[in-house]
Amino acid sequence: MARVEQVKDNEARSSVIKRLSKIEGQVRGLVRMISEERSCDEIINQIQAVKAGINKVAAIILERNIVDCLSLSENTDQTEIEKLRKLLSKIAGSK
């Protein structure tokens, strides 16, 4: 039976890979937009989408790392870890 941490790690890993694949497509779109001499507004909007995606990936990775580090401590209460996870989600702007 898989441990809860392993399941969450797999979920986080899958989420990061999915988001990075989407970002990869957005960057290819940016290259195409620039080649096609699209408007500055369109290009900037696409850049903002890429930046938001990268920031979300960073937040997911940071959250997993912090939770993993806290989980290694024998003195850390699981409710405290969950409070921290919720706070990080708020900061990152996720649901």
Side-chain angles (χ1 to χ4, degrees):
M1 187 164 162
R3 293 186 348 229
V4 173
E5 292 84 9
Q6 288 175 322
V7 173
K8 288 181 181 177
D9 283 346
N10 289 338
E11 290 171 5
R13 184 179 303 109
S14 294
S15 178
V16 166
I17 290 169
K18 181 179 176 182
R19 288 174 187 278
L20 288 173
S21 294
K22 181 177 179 180
I23 293 165
E24 180 182 24
Q26 290 173 319
V27 170
R28 280 195 303 272
L30 265 171
V31 170
R32 187 177 59 254
M33 291 170 77
I34 292 169
S35 296
E36 294 171 355
E37 298 182 3
R38 302 277 288 272
S39 74
C40 180
D41 286 346
E42 290 176 294
I43 292 169
I44 295 299
N45 285 338
Q46 189 69 4
I47 290 171
Q48 290 302 108
V50 170
K51 286 171 56 176
I54 289 291
N55 288 339
K56 180 59 183 173
V57 167
I60 291 168
I61 292 169
L62 177 60
E63 177 187 352
R64 277 306 324 149
N65 189 305
I66 289 172
V67 169
D68 289 347
C69 289
L70 288 174
S71 295
L72 293 175
S73 172
E74 295 176 14
N75 299 330
T76 305
D77 182 0
Q78 289 300 314
T79 57
E80 293 301 315
I81 292 174
E82 192 55 36
K83 285 180 188 177
L84 179 58
R85 178 178 278 132
K86 288 178 182 178
L87 180 61
L88 287 169
S89 292
K90 281 184 182 180
I91 291 170
S94 62
K95 297 172 183 150

